[in-house]
Amino acid sequence: MFIVNSYALAVLFCFITMMCWGSWGNTQKLASKSWRYELFYWDYVIGMVLFTLVVGFTMGSIGSEGRSFLPDLAQADARGVGSVVLGGVIFNASNILLSASVAMAGLSVAFSLGVGLALVLGVVVNYVGAPKGDPVILFLGVALIVAAIVCNGIASQRVQSGGTQRAQFRKGVALAVVAGVLMSLFYRFVAAAMDLDHFENPTPGMLTPYSAVFIFSLGVLASNFVFNTWVMKRPFDGEPVAYRDYFKGSFSTHLVGMLGGAIWCLGTTFSYIAAGKAGAAVSYALGQGAPMVAAVWGVFVWKEFRGGGRTVNGLLALMFALFIAGLGLIIVAGGN
């Protein structure tokens, strides 16, 4: 299987993770023009599962180091599989809530609050589980990114809350907070099933990133029949939707949703691959800079901050400056 053997390449993979985690929401915005997010989410999960197979049979099956994809699946022990599946279930509950928040409060607000909270809590959880890197520099970098996320959230609220029904906006914010708490937990359950220090010769029974992310996606798919079915019948906003509505979507609409799942899954796979060299906390922290990527899309593509005035523009400039400084410190921390 393909293994990252240098810290510089691990950081590059983490940046790709950040881009993917911060960009998949664009596919939901594209689909939302004619498609409810509950229906979009089925395609998102299907795209995730299919992409894990593509990665497993390509990157996960080449090279002479480690175990290739199918043999690694065959030797996995039940405890590790259960931990990864649990991570998938927790993630799915979180991501459905995040998708609902995007639909109700906007991309920038949902990501800044939900993913920002997940960043803070998740770095603590992952560092305690697998300490690697300088903790002082790491958490200082996280603090700067948190400050950037706060700036993003304030700017988003100033622009969007006035044009959104107040009750709907508050509900979207609440969903983002719950999503963030749940999202902070899933990564560690998956990382715990992998031998992060010995990808080239993994401990028997433990998983490689490629098999782990495939099992993870199956956990997401299985739980989706419970979580998303419930949300379809009792939506957070709007009228209930039925399974028959899903089959009314066009081929291109379904592809957009699958593309969203593939984008997220590419980022997640690269994050777990990089964790072997950078450590779970650093890999997770860099990837969870996604709110800033979402903010870039919001500012320059979706024009979510149009008409915000001088104060909003100043907050956005400060946000990007804090973000870049925080990422730099996280990179330095992982190299120590």
Side-chain angles (χ1 to χ4, degrees), residues 221-242:
L221 177 62
S223 63
N224 209 46
F225 285 97
V226 177
F227 297 150
N228 205 22
T229 299
W230 176 266
V231 174
M232 289 169 66
K233 292 181 177 180
R234 297 177 179 272
F236 294 107
D237 184 56
E239 298 297 320
V241 292

Side-chain angles (χ1 to χ4, degrees), residues 6-69:
S6 73
Y7 182 66
L9 184 58
V11 169
L12 175 61
F13 271 40
C14 291
F15 268 95
I16 294 173
T17 296
M18 180 178 63
M19 295 299 297
C20 291
W21 283 357
S23 299
W24 72 263
N26 290 306
T27 60
Q28 181 177 336
K29 288 185 71 74
L30 287 172
S32 66
K33 296 176 181 179
S34 60
W35 202 232
R36 287 277 292 271
Y37 81 87
E38 299 94 339
L39 302 176
F40 159 87
Y41 200 77
W42 280 109
D43 291 323
Y44 177 89
V45 172
I46 292 170
M48 182 188 302
V49 175
L50 293 177
F51 190 81
T52 61
L53 289 172
V54 172
V55 173
F57 286 113
T58 53
M59 294 178 68
S61 300
I62 63 174
S64 58
E65 293 184 298
R67 286 189 296 259
S68 60
F69 179 55

Side-chain angles (χ1 to χ4, degrees), residues 7 11 127 131-139 277-279 282 328-336:
Y7 182 66
V11 169
Y127 189 84
K132 192 170 186 177
D134 187 310
V136 175
I137 299 176
L138 173 62
F139 287 102
K277 197 67 180 178
V282 171
L329 288 176
I330 291 172
I331 293 170
V332 171
N336 291 333

Side-chain angles (χ1 to χ4, degrees), residues 148-161:
I149 290 169
V150 170
C151 292
N152 179 24
I154 295 172
S156 299
Q157 187 174 12
R158 282 177 174 269
V159 171
Q160 295 189 22
S161 61

